[in-house]
Short mmCIF file of all heavy atoms in Angstrom, two decimals:
data_model
loop_
_atom_site.label_atom_id
_atom_site.label_comp_id
_atom_site.label_asym_id
_atom_site.label_seq_id
_atom_site.Cartn_x
_atom_site.Cartn_y
_atom_site.Cartn_z
N MET A 1 0.84 -1.19 0.00
CA MET A 1 0.00 0.00 0.00
C MET A 1 0.87 1.25 0.00
O MET A 1 1.99 1.22 0.47
CB MET A 1 -0.88 0.03 1.24
CG MET A 1 -2.12 -0.78 1.11
SD MET A 1 -3.23 -0.42 2.47
CE MET A 1 -4.25 -1.83 2.33
N THR A 2 0.32 2.32 -0.46
CA THR A 2 1.06 3.58 -0.50
C THR A 2 0.74 4.47 0.69
O THR A 2 1.07 5.63 0.69
CB THR A 2 0.73 4.34 -1.79
OG1 THR A 2 -0.67 4.63 -1.81
CG2 THR A 2 1.14 3.56 -3.02
N THR A 3 0.11 3.93 1.71
CA THR A 3 -0.29 4.72 2.88
C THR A 3 0.90 5.37 3.56
O THR A 3 0.80 6.46 4.08
CB THR A 3 -1.05 3.84 3.89
OG1 THR A 3 -2.15 3.25 3.20
CG2 THR A 3 -1.58 4.65 5.04
N ALA A 4 2.06 4.72 3.52
CA ALA A 4 3.24 5.26 4.19
C ALA A 4 3.62 6.62 3.63
O ALA A 4 4.19 7.46 4.32
CB ALA A 4 4.41 4.30 4.05
N SER A 5 3.27 6.89 2.37
CA SER A 5 3.61 8.17 1.77
C SER A 5 2.56 9.24 2.04
O SER A 5 2.77 10.39 1.67
CB SER A 5 3.81 7.99 0.26
OG SER A 5 2.60 7.59 -0.34
N LEU A 6 1.45 8.88 2.66
CA LEU A 6 0.42 9.87 2.99
C LEU A 6 0.73 10.52 4.32
O LEU A 6 1.10 9.86 5.28
CB LEU A 6 -0.96 9.20 3.08
CG LEU A 6 -1.54 8.66 1.78
CD1 LEU A 6 -2.84 7.92 2.06
CD2 LEU A 6 -1.78 9.77 0.79
N SER A 7 0.53 11.82 4.37
CA SER A 7 0.72 12.54 5.63
C SER A 7 -0.58 12.50 6.44
O SER A 7 -1.65 12.18 5.91
CB SER A 7 1.10 13.99 5.36
OG SER A 7 0.00 14.70 4.82
N ILE A 8 -0.48 12.82 7.71
CA ILE A 8 -1.67 12.88 8.56
C ILE A 8 -2.63 13.92 7.99
O ILE A 8 -3.85 13.70 7.98
CB ILE A 8 -1.28 13.22 10.01
CG1 ILE A 8 -0.51 12.06 10.64
CG2 ILE A 8 -2.51 13.54 10.85
CD1 ILE A 8 -1.29 10.77 10.75
N GLY A 9 -2.11 15.03 7.49
CA GLY A 9 -2.96 16.06 6.90
C GLY A 9 -3.75 15.54 5.71
O GLY A 9 -4.94 15.87 5.55
N GLU A 10 -3.11 14.72 4.88
CA GLU A 10 -3.81 14.14 3.73
C GLU A 10 -4.87 13.15 4.19
O GLU A 10 -5.97 13.09 3.62
CB GLU A 10 -2.81 13.46 2.80
CG GLU A 10 -1.90 14.44 2.07
CD GLU A 10 -0.76 13.76 1.36
OE1 GLU A 10 -0.13 12.84 1.93
OE2 GLU A 10 -0.48 14.17 0.22
N LEU A 11 -4.55 12.37 5.21
CA LEU A 11 -5.54 11.44 5.75
C LEU A 11 -6.72 12.21 6.34
O LEU A 11 -7.88 11.84 6.11
CB LEU A 11 -4.91 10.54 6.83
CG LEU A 11 -3.91 9.50 6.34
CD1 LEU A 11 -3.19 8.87 7.52
CD2 LEU A 11 -4.60 8.45 5.50
N GLU A 12 -6.42 13.27 7.08
CA GLU A 12 -7.49 14.08 7.67
C GLU A 12 -8.36 14.72 6.60
O GLU A 12 -9.58 14.79 6.75
CB GLU A 12 -6.91 15.16 8.57
CG GLU A 12 -6.37 14.64 9.88
CD GLU A 12 -5.90 15.76 10.78
OE1 GLU A 12 -4.90 16.42 10.44
OE2 GLU A 12 -6.55 15.96 11.82
N ALA A 13 -7.75 15.19 5.53
CA ALA A 13 -8.49 15.84 4.46
C ALA A 13 -9.48 14.88 3.79
O ALA A 13 -10.52 15.31 3.28
CB ALA A 13 -7.53 16.40 3.42
N ASN A 14 -9.17 13.59 3.82
CA ASN A 14 -10.03 12.60 3.17
C ASN A 14 -10.87 11.79 4.16
O ASN A 14 -11.49 10.80 3.78
CB ASN A 14 -9.18 11.65 2.33
CG ASN A 14 -8.63 12.35 1.11
OD1 ASN A 14 -9.36 12.99 0.37
ND2 ASN A 14 -7.32 12.25 0.92
N TYR A 15 -10.92 12.21 5.40
CA TYR A 15 -11.67 11.50 6.43
C TYR A 15 -13.13 11.25 6.03
O TYR A 15 -13.63 10.14 6.14
CB TYR A 15 -11.59 12.25 7.76
CG TYR A 15 -12.39 11.62 8.87
CD1 TYR A 15 -11.95 10.45 9.48
CD2 TYR A 15 -13.58 12.19 9.30
CE1 TYR A 15 -12.68 9.87 10.50
CE2 TYR A 15 -14.32 11.60 10.32
CZ TYR A 15 -13.87 10.45 10.91
OH TYR A 15 -14.59 9.87 11.91
N ALA A 16 -13.79 12.29 5.57
CA ALA A 16 -15.20 12.15 5.19
C ALA A 16 -15.36 11.14 4.05
O ALA A 16 -16.33 10.37 4.03
CB ALA A 16 -15.78 13.50 4.78
N LEU A 17 -14.43 11.12 3.14
CA LEU A 17 -14.46 10.17 2.03
C LEU A 17 -14.31 8.73 2.54
O LEU A 17 -15.03 7.83 2.09
CB LEU A 17 -13.35 10.49 1.04
CG LEU A 17 -13.27 9.63 -0.21
CD1 LEU A 17 -14.51 9.80 -1.08
CD2 LEU A 17 -12.02 9.98 -0.99
N TYR A 18 -13.40 8.51 3.48
CA TYR A 18 -13.21 7.17 4.05
C TYR A 18 -14.46 6.72 4.80
O TYR A 18 -14.87 5.55 4.70
CB TYR A 18 -12.01 7.12 4.99
CG TYR A 18 -10.71 7.58 4.37
CD1 TYR A 18 -9.80 8.31 5.10
CD2 TYR A 18 -10.39 7.29 3.05
CE1 TYR A 18 -8.60 8.74 4.54
CE2 TYR A 18 -9.21 7.71 2.48
CZ TYR A 18 -8.31 8.44 3.22
OH TYR A 18 -7.13 8.86 2.67
N CYS A 19 -15.09 7.64 5.53
CA CYS A 19 -16.33 7.31 6.24
C CYS A 19 -17.44 6.96 5.27
O CYS A 19 -18.21 6.02 5.48
CB CYS A 19 -16.75 8.47 7.14
SG CYS A 19 -15.69 8.69 8.57
N LYS A 20 -17.53 7.72 4.19
CA LYS A 20 -18.56 7.47 3.17
C LYS A 20 -18.34 6.11 2.52
O LYS A 20 -19.28 5.35 2.32
CB LYS A 20 -18.54 8.58 2.12
CG LYS A 20 -19.62 8.45 1.08
CD LYS A 20 -19.62 9.63 0.13
CE LYS A 20 -20.73 9.49 -0.88
NZ LYS A 20 -20.78 10.64 -1.79
N ALA A 21 -17.09 5.80 2.21
CA ALA A 21 -16.78 4.49 1.62
C ALA A 21 -17.15 3.36 2.57
O ALA A 21 -17.74 2.36 2.16
CB ALA A 21 -15.30 4.43 1.25
N LEU A 22 -16.83 3.53 3.85
CA LEU A 22 -17.18 2.52 4.84
C LEU A 22 -18.69 2.34 4.92
O LEU A 22 -19.19 1.21 4.95
CB LEU A 22 -16.62 2.91 6.22
CG LEU A 22 -16.80 1.90 7.34
CD1 LEU A 22 -16.09 0.59 7.03
CD2 LEU A 22 -16.30 2.48 8.65
N LYS A 23 -19.42 3.44 4.89
CA LYS A 23 -20.87 3.38 4.95
C LYS A 23 -21.45 2.64 3.73
O LYS A 23 -22.35 1.82 3.87
CB LYS A 23 -21.43 4.81 5.00
CG LYS A 23 -22.91 4.89 5.28
CD LYS A 23 -23.39 6.32 5.31
CE LYS A 23 -22.79 7.07 6.46
NZ LYS A 23 -23.33 8.44 6.60
N ILE A 24 -20.91 2.91 2.57
CA ILE A 24 -21.37 2.24 1.35
C ILE A 24 -21.11 0.74 1.44
O ILE A 24 -21.98 -0.08 1.10
CB ILE A 24 -20.69 2.85 0.11
CG1 ILE A 24 -21.23 4.26 -0.15
CG2 ILE A 24 -20.88 1.97 -1.12
CD1 ILE A 24 -20.43 5.07 -1.16
N LEU A 25 -19.92 0.37 1.89
CA LEU A 25 -19.58 -1.06 2.00
C LEU A 25 -20.48 -1.77 3.01
O LEU A 25 -20.92 -2.90 2.76
CB LEU A 25 -18.11 -1.21 2.41
CG LEU A 25 -17.10 -0.77 1.35
CD1 LEU A 25 -15.71 -0.68 1.94
CD2 LEU A 25 -17.13 -1.72 0.16
N ILE A 26 -20.78 -1.11 4.11
CA ILE A 26 -21.68 -1.70 5.12
C ILE A 26 -23.08 -1.85 4.54
O ILE A 26 -23.73 -2.87 4.71
CB ILE A 26 -21.67 -0.87 6.41
CG1 ILE A 26 -20.31 -0.99 7.10
CG2 ILE A 26 -22.80 -1.30 7.34
CD1 ILE A 26 -20.09 -0.03 8.24
N ARG A 27 -23.53 -0.83 3.82
CA ARG A 27 -24.85 -0.88 3.19
C ARG A 27 -24.93 -2.02 2.18
O ARG A 27 -25.99 -2.60 1.98
CB ARG A 27 -25.13 0.46 2.51
CG ARG A 27 -26.60 0.79 2.46
CD ARG A 27 -26.87 2.06 1.71
NE ARG A 27 -26.54 3.22 2.52
CZ ARG A 27 -26.20 4.40 2.01
NH1 ARG A 27 -26.11 4.58 0.71
NH2 ARG A 27 -25.95 5.42 2.80
N GLN A 28 -23.81 -2.33 1.54
CA GLN A 28 -23.76 -3.44 0.57
C GLN A 28 -23.72 -4.80 1.25
O GLN A 28 -23.78 -5.82 0.58
CB GLN A 28 -22.53 -3.29 -0.33
CG GLN A 28 -22.60 -2.15 -1.30
CD GLN A 28 -21.32 -1.99 -2.09
OE1 GLN A 28 -20.28 -2.58 -1.79
NE2 GLN A 28 -21.38 -1.16 -3.11
N GLY A 29 -23.62 -4.80 2.57
CA GLY A 29 -23.66 -6.07 3.30
C GLY A 29 -22.31 -6.76 3.43
O GLY A 29 -22.26 -7.98 3.67
N LYS A 30 -21.22 -6.03 3.30
CA LYS A 30 -19.89 -6.64 3.44
C LYS A 30 -19.69 -7.14 4.87
O LYS A 30 -20.15 -6.53 5.83
CB LYS A 30 -18.79 -5.64 3.10
CG LYS A 30 -18.86 -5.09 1.70
CD LYS A 30 -18.62 -6.15 0.67
CE LYS A 30 -18.65 -5.56 -0.72
NZ LYS A 30 -18.61 -6.56 -1.76
N SER A 31 -19.01 -8.25 4.99
CA SER A 31 -18.73 -8.82 6.31
C SER A 31 -17.64 -8.02 7.01
O SER A 31 -16.90 -7.24 6.38
CB SER A 31 -18.29 -10.27 6.17
OG SER A 31 -16.99 -10.32 5.59
N SER A 32 -17.51 -8.24 8.29
CA SER A 32 -16.49 -7.58 9.07
C SER A 32 -15.10 -7.92 8.53
O SER A 32 -14.23 -7.05 8.43
CB SER A 32 -16.60 -7.99 10.54
OG SER A 32 -15.63 -7.35 11.31
N ALA A 33 -14.89 -9.16 8.16
CA ALA A 33 -13.60 -9.59 7.61
C ALA A 33 -13.30 -8.86 6.30
O ALA A 33 -12.17 -8.44 6.05
CB ALA A 33 -13.58 -11.09 7.39
N GLU A 34 -14.33 -8.71 5.47
CA GLU A 34 -14.14 -7.98 4.21
C GLU A 34 -13.83 -6.51 4.46
O GLU A 34 -12.98 -5.93 3.78
CB GLU A 34 -15.39 -8.11 3.33
CG GLU A 34 -15.61 -9.50 2.78
CD GLU A 34 -16.94 -9.66 2.08
OE1 GLU A 34 -17.97 -9.19 2.62
OE2 GLU A 34 -16.94 -10.26 0.99
N LEU A 35 -14.50 -5.91 5.43
CA LEU A 35 -14.26 -4.51 5.75
C LEU A 35 -12.83 -4.30 6.26
O LEU A 35 -12.20 -3.30 5.93
CB LEU A 35 -15.26 -4.02 6.80
CG LEU A 35 -16.71 -3.92 6.37
CD1 LEU A 35 -17.59 -3.56 7.56
CD2 LEU A 35 -16.88 -2.90 5.26
N HIS A 36 -12.34 -5.24 7.04
CA HIS A 36 -10.99 -5.13 7.61
C HIS A 36 -9.90 -5.11 6.53
O HIS A 36 -8.79 -4.64 6.78
CB HIS A 36 -10.71 -6.28 8.58
CG HIS A 36 -11.29 -6.07 9.93
ND1 HIS A 36 -12.63 -6.24 10.20
CD2 HIS A 36 -10.72 -5.69 11.09
CE1 HIS A 36 -12.85 -5.99 11.47
NE2 HIS A 36 -11.72 -5.64 12.04
N ARG A 37 -10.22 -5.60 5.34
CA ARG A 37 -9.23 -5.67 4.27
C ARG A 37 -9.27 -4.45 3.34
O ARG A 37 -8.52 -4.40 2.37
CB ARG A 37 -9.43 -6.94 3.44
CG ARG A 37 -9.09 -8.20 4.21
CD ARG A 37 -9.07 -9.42 3.30
NE ARG A 37 -10.30 -9.62 2.57
CZ ARG A 37 -11.27 -10.46 2.92
NH1 ARG A 37 -11.14 -11.18 4.01
NH2 ARG A 37 -12.36 -10.59 2.18
N THR A 38 -10.10 -3.46 3.63
CA THR A 38 -10.25 -2.32 2.73
C THR A 38 -9.27 -1.20 3.06
O THR A 38 -8.78 -1.08 4.18
CB THR A 38 -11.69 -1.75 2.78
OG1 THR A 38 -11.94 -1.25 4.10
CG2 THR A 38 -12.72 -2.80 2.39
N ILE A 39 -9.03 -0.37 2.07
CA ILE A 39 -8.16 0.79 2.25
C ILE A 39 -8.79 1.78 3.21
O ILE A 39 -8.11 2.34 4.07
CB ILE A 39 -7.85 1.45 0.89
CG1 ILE A 39 -6.95 0.53 0.07
CG2 ILE A 39 -7.20 2.82 1.08
CD1 ILE A 39 -6.71 0.99 -1.34
N CYS A 40 -10.10 1.99 3.09
CA CYS A 40 -10.74 2.96 3.98
C CYS A 40 -10.61 2.52 5.43
O CYS A 40 -10.34 3.35 6.31
CB CYS A 40 -12.20 3.23 3.59
SG CYS A 40 -13.33 1.85 3.76
N TRP A 41 -10.76 1.24 5.72
CA TRP A 41 -10.61 0.73 7.08
C TRP A 41 -9.19 0.99 7.59
O TRP A 41 -8.99 1.46 8.70
CB TRP A 41 -10.92 -0.76 7.12
CG TRP A 41 -10.94 -1.34 8.48
CD1 TRP A 41 -9.86 -1.75 9.22
CD2 TRP A 41 -12.08 -1.56 9.30
NE1 TRP A 41 -10.28 -2.23 10.43
CE2 TRP A 41 -11.64 -2.12 10.51
CE3 TRP A 41 -13.45 -1.35 9.12
CZ2 TRP A 41 -12.50 -2.46 11.53
CZ3 TRP A 41 -14.31 -1.69 10.13
CH2 TRP A 41 -13.85 -2.23 11.33
N HIS A 42 -8.23 0.68 6.75
CA HIS A 42 -6.83 0.86 7.13
C HIS A 42 -6.53 2.33 7.42
O HIS A 42 -5.88 2.66 8.42
CB HIS A 42 -5.93 0.33 6.00
CG HIS A 42 -4.48 0.49 6.26
ND1 HIS A 42 -3.80 -0.23 7.22
CD2 HIS A 42 -3.57 1.31 5.72
CE1 HIS A 42 -2.54 0.14 7.24
NE2 HIS A 42 -2.38 1.08 6.32
N ARG A 43 -7.00 3.21 6.56
CA ARG A 43 -6.71 4.63 6.74
C ARG A 43 -7.47 5.22 7.92
O ARG A 43 -6.93 6.07 8.64
CB ARG A 43 -6.98 5.38 5.45
CG ARG A 43 -5.95 4.97 4.40
CD ARG A 43 -6.07 5.69 3.13
NE ARG A 43 -5.03 5.23 2.21
CZ ARG A 43 -4.94 5.60 0.96
NH1 ARG A 43 -5.80 6.47 0.46
NH2 ARG A 43 -3.97 5.13 0.21
N LEU A 44 -8.69 4.77 8.16
CA LEU A 44 -9.41 5.21 9.36
C LEU A 44 -8.68 4.74 10.61
O LEU A 44 -8.60 5.45 11.61
CB LEU A 44 -10.85 4.70 9.34
CG LEU A 44 -11.79 5.38 8.35
CD1 LEU A 44 -13.06 4.57 8.17
CD2 LEU A 44 -12.09 6.81 8.77
N GLY A 45 -8.12 3.54 10.54
CA GLY A 45 -7.35 3.02 11.66
C GLY A 45 -6.08 3.83 11.91
O GLY A 45 -5.71 4.09 13.06
N LEU A 46 -5.42 4.23 10.84
CA LEU A 46 -4.22 5.07 10.98
C LEU A 46 -4.56 6.40 11.64
O LEU A 46 -3.84 6.87 12.53
CB LEU A 46 -3.60 5.35 9.61
CG LEU A 46 -2.81 4.23 8.96
CD1 LEU A 46 -2.40 4.62 7.55
CD2 LEU A 46 -1.58 3.91 9.79
N LEU A 47 -5.65 7.00 11.22
CA LEU A 47 -6.08 8.26 11.83
C LEU A 47 -6.38 8.08 13.31
O LEU A 47 -5.98 8.88 14.14
CB LEU A 47 -7.30 8.82 11.11
CG LEU A 47 -7.02 9.67 9.89
CD1 LEU A 47 -8.31 9.96 9.14
CD2 LEU A 47 -6.33 10.96 10.28
N HIS A 48 -7.09 7.01 13.63
CA HIS A 48 -7.44 6.76 15.04
C HIS A 48 -6.19 6.53 15.89
O HIS A 48 -6.08 7.06 16.99
CB HIS A 48 -8.39 5.57 15.15
CG HIS A 48 -8.67 5.17 16.55
ND1 HIS A 48 -9.35 5.97 17.42
CD2 HIS A 48 -8.33 4.06 17.24
CE1 HIS A 48 -9.43 5.37 18.60
NE2 HIS A 48 -8.81 4.20 18.51
N ARG A 49 -5.25 5.74 15.37
CA ARG A 49 -4.02 5.47 16.12
C ARG A 49 -3.17 6.73 16.27
O ARG A 49 -2.52 6.93 17.29
CB ARG A 49 -3.21 4.36 15.45
CG ARG A 49 -3.81 2.98 15.70
CD ARG A 49 -2.90 1.87 15.22
NE ARG A 49 -2.64 1.89 13.78
CZ ARG A 49 -3.47 1.40 12.86
NH1 ARG A 49 -4.63 0.89 13.21
NH2 ARG A 49 -3.15 1.44 11.58
N SER A 50 -3.19 7.60 15.27
CA SER A 50 -2.38 8.82 15.32
C SER A 50 -3.03 9.91 16.18
O SER A 50 -2.34 10.62 16.89
CB SER A 50 -2.18 9.37 13.91
OG SER A 50 -1.50 8.44 13.11
N LEU A 51 -4.35 10.02 16.07
CA LEU A 51 -5.08 11.07 16.78
C LEU A 51 -6.34 10.48 17.42
O LEU A 51 -7.47 10.77 17.00
CB LEU A 51 -5.46 12.20 15.80
CG LEU A 51 -4.29 12.87 15.07
CD1 LEU A 51 -4.79 13.69 13.89
CD2 LEU A 51 -3.50 13.72 16.03
N PRO A 52 -6.17 9.65 18.45
CA PRO A 52 -7.31 8.91 19.01
C PRO A 52 -8.39 9.80 19.64
O PRO A 52 -9.54 9.39 19.72
CB PRO A 52 -6.68 7.99 20.05
CG PRO A 52 -5.37 8.60 20.37
CD PRO A 52 -4.93 9.33 19.13
N ARG A 53 -8.04 10.97 20.08
CA ARG A 53 -9.06 11.85 20.67
C ARG A 53 -9.90 12.54 19.62
O ARG A 53 -11.01 12.99 19.91
CB ARG A 53 -8.40 12.90 21.55
CG ARG A 53 -7.77 12.29 22.79
CD ARG A 53 -7.15 13.32 23.66
NE ARG A 53 -6.50 12.67 24.79
CZ ARG A 53 -6.33 13.24 25.95
NH1 ARG A 53 -6.72 14.47 26.15
NH2 ARG A 53 -5.75 12.57 26.92
N GLN A 54 -9.40 12.60 18.40
CA GLN A 54 -10.13 13.28 17.33
C GLN A 54 -10.92 12.32 16.44
O GLN A 54 -11.93 12.70 15.88
CB GLN A 54 -9.16 14.07 16.46
CG GLN A 54 -8.59 15.30 17.14
CD GLN A 54 -7.64 16.02 16.23
OE1 GLN A 54 -6.43 15.82 16.32
NE2 GLN A 54 -8.17 16.83 15.36
N TYR A 55 -10.42 11.10 16.29
CA TYR A 55 -11.03 10.16 15.35
C TYR A 55 -11.37 8.85 16.03
O TYR A 55 -10.55 8.27 16.74
CB TYR A 55 -10.08 9.90 14.17
CG TYR A 55 -9.82 11.15 13.38
CD1 TYR A 55 -8.65 11.89 13.58
CD2 TYR A 55 -10.75 11.62 12.47
CE1 TYR A 55 -8.42 13.06 12.88
CE2 TYR A 55 -10.53 12.79 11.77
CZ TYR A 55 -9.37 13.50 11.97
OH TYR A 55 -9.15 14.66 11.28
N LYS A 56 -12.58 8.39 15.77
CA LYS A 56 -13.04 7.10 16.32
C LYS A 56 -12.36 5.96 15.56
O LYS A 56 -11.95 6.11 14.42
CB LYS A 56 -14.55 6.99 16.17
CG LYS A 56 -15.33 7.98 17.02
CD LYS A 56 -16.81 7.85 16.73
CE LYS A 56 -17.63 8.77 17.58
NZ LYS A 56 -17.38 10.19 17.37
N SER A 57 -12.31 4.82 16.21
CA SER A 57 -11.74 3.63 15.56
C SER A 57 -12.69 3.16 14.47
O SER A 57 -13.90 3.42 14.52
CB SER A 57 -11.55 2.52 16.58
OG SER A 57 -12.80 2.02 16.99
N PRO A 58 -12.16 2.47 13.46
CA PRO A 58 -13.04 1.94 12.41
C PRO A 58 -14.10 0.99 12.99
O PRO A 58 -15.23 0.97 12.50
CB PRO A 58 -12.10 1.20 11.47
CG PRO A 58 -10.73 1.57 11.85
CD PRO A 58 -10.77 2.18 13.21
N GLU A 59 -13.74 0.25 14.03
CA GLU A 59 -14.70 -0.66 14.66
C GLU A 59 -15.89 0.13 15.23
O GLU A 59 -17.04 -0.24 15.05
CB GLU A 59 -14.04 -1.47 15.78
CG GLU A 59 -13.02 -2.47 15.32
CD GLU A 59 -11.60 -1.89 15.17
OE1 GLU A 59 -11.41 -0.68 15.42
OE2 GLU A 59 -10.71 -2.66 14.80
N ARG A 60 -15.57 1.22 15.91
CA ARG A 60 -16.62 2.07 16.50
C ARG A 60 -17.48 2.70 15.40
O ARG A 60 -18.70 2.74 15.51
CB ARG A 60 -15.97 3.15 17.36
CG ARG A 60 -16.93 4.13 17.95
CD ARG A 60 -17.39 3.66 19.31
NE ARG A 60 -18.14 4.74 19.93
CZ ARG A 60 -19.41 4.63 20.26
NH1 ARG A 60 -20.05 3.49 20.08
NH2 ARG A 60 -20.04 5.63 20.80
N LEU A 61 -16.83 3.19 14.35
CA LEU A 61 -17.58 3.77 13.23
C LEU A 61 -18.50 2.74 12.59
O LEU A 61 -19.65 3.04 12.27
CB LEU A 61 -16.61 4.33 12.19
CG LEU A 61 -15.84 5.57 12.59
CD1 LEU A 61 -14.76 5.88 11.56
CD2 LEU A 61 -16.77 6.77 12.74
N MET A 62 -17.99 1.51 12.43
CA MET A 62 -18.79 0.45 11.85
C MET A 62 -20.04 0.19 12.69
O MET A 62 -21.15 0.10 12.16
CB MET A 62 -17.98 -0.83 11.73
CG MET A 62 -18.74 -2.02 11.16
SD MET A 62 -17.79 -3.55 11.14
CE MET A 62 -17.65 -3.90 12.89
N LEU A 63 -19.87 0.11 14.00
CA LEU A 63 -21.01 -0.13 14.89
C LEU A 63 -22.01 1.02 14.84
O LEU A 63 -23.22 0.79 14.85
CB LEU A 63 -20.52 -0.35 16.32
CG LEU A 63 -19.73 -1.63 16.57
CD1 LEU A 63 -19.16 -1.64 17.98
CD2 LEU A 63 -20.58 -2.85 16.29
N MET A 64 -21.51 2.24 14.77
CA MET A 64 -22.40 3.40 14.70
C MET A 64 -23.19 3.41 13.39
O MET A 64 -24.40 3.66 13.38
CB MET A 64 -21.59 4.70 14.82
CG MET A 64 -21.01 4.91 16.20
SD MET A 64 -19.84 6.29 16.29
CE MET A 64 -20.86 7.65 15.77
N ILE A 65 -22.52 3.09 12.28
CA ILE A 65 -23.19 3.05 10.98
C ILE A 65 -24.22 1.93 10.95
O ILE A 65 -25.34 2.11 10.48
CB ILE A 65 -22.15 2.89 9.85
CG1 ILE A 65 -21.30 4.16 9.74
CG2 ILE A 65 -22.84 2.59 8.52
CD1 ILE A 65 -20.06 4.01 8.87
N GLN A 66 -23.86 0.77 11.47
CA GLN A 66 -24.80 -0.36 11.50
C GLN A 66 -26.02 -0.02 12.36
O GLN A 66 -27.15 -0.37 11.99
CB GLN A 66 -24.11 -1.61 12.02
CG GLN A 66 -23.14 -2.20 11.05
CD GLN A 66 -22.31 -3.33 11.62
OE1 GLN A 66 -22.07 -3.40 12.83
NE2 GLN A 66 -21.84 -4.23 10.76
N ALA A 67 -25.81 0.66 13.47
CA ALA A 67 -26.93 1.06 14.33
C ALA A 67 -27.83 2.05 13.60
O ALA A 67 -29.06 1.93 13.66
CB ALA A 67 -26.41 1.66 15.63
N ASP A 68 -27.23 3.00 12.91
CA ASP A 68 -28.02 3.97 12.14
C ASP A 68 -28.83 3.27 11.06
O ASP A 68 -29.99 3.60 10.83
CB ASP A 68 -27.12 5.02 11.49
CG ASP A 68 -26.65 6.07 12.47
OD1 ASP A 68 -27.20 6.16 13.59
OD2 ASP A 68 -25.70 6.81 12.12
N LEU A 69 -28.21 2.31 10.38
CA LEU A 69 -28.91 1.58 9.34
C LEU A 69 -30.10 0.80 9.89
O LEU A 69 -31.17 0.77 9.29
CB LEU A 69 -27.96 0.62 8.62
CG LEU A 69 -26.99 1.24 7.62
CD1 LEU A 69 -25.99 0.20 7.15
CD2 LEU A 69 -27.73 1.83 6.45
N SER A 70 -29.91 0.16 11.03
CA SER A 70 -31.00 -0.62 11.60
C SER A 70 -32.09 0.28 12.17
O SER A 70 -33.27 -0.09 12.15
CB SER A 70 -30.49 -1.59 12.65
OG SER A 70 -29.93 -0.91 13.73
N ASN A 71 -31.74 1.46 12.67
CA ASN A 71 -32.74 2.39 13.22
C ASN A 71 -33.50 3.15 12.16
O ASN A 71 -34.69 3.38 12.28
CB ASN A 71 -32.07 3.40 14.16
CG ASN A 71 -31.61 2.76 15.45
OD1 ASN A 71 -32.12 1.72 15.86
ND2 ASN A 71 -30.63 3.37 16.08
N ASN A 72 -32.80 3.54 11.09
CA ASN A 72 -33.41 4.38 10.07
C ASN A 72 -33.77 3.64 8.81
O ASN A 72 -34.39 4.22 7.91
CB ASN A 72 -32.46 5.54 9.71
CG ASN A 72 -32.17 6.42 10.88
OD1 ASN A 72 -33.00 6.61 11.76
ND2 ASN A 72 -30.96 6.96 10.94
N GLY A 73 -33.35 2.44 8.67
CA GLY A 73 -33.62 1.69 7.45
C GLY A 73 -32.56 1.91 6.40
O GLY A 73 -32.23 1.03 5.65
N SER A 74 -32.00 3.11 6.32
CA SER A 74 -30.89 3.41 5.40
C SER A 74 -30.25 4.71 5.84
O SER A 74 -30.86 5.55 6.46
CB SER A 74 -31.36 3.53 3.96
OG SER A 74 -32.19 4.67 3.83
N VAL A 75 -28.97 4.82 5.53
CA VAL A 75 -28.21 6.02 5.90
C VAL A 75 -27.63 6.63 4.65
O VAL A 75 -27.24 6.00 3.75
CB VAL A 75 -27.07 5.67 6.89
CG1 VAL A 75 -26.18 6.88 7.15
CG2 VAL A 75 -27.65 5.16 8.17
#
């Protein structure tokens, strides 16, 4: 992966995009194992590990998105 060449600023700038990608994959019914292998999961994890007070873990985001989907029918 080319993630090593991305700066924290570049990861932060694309945070909303990674969240949107995660939401789309969850809506498509991807399994947890499949989600763990995605670039968006990896980059969300990097952000969380680098700035844990600012960014939730991908696991937490996944649970929040799944809860929203089950409560609202779609997100």
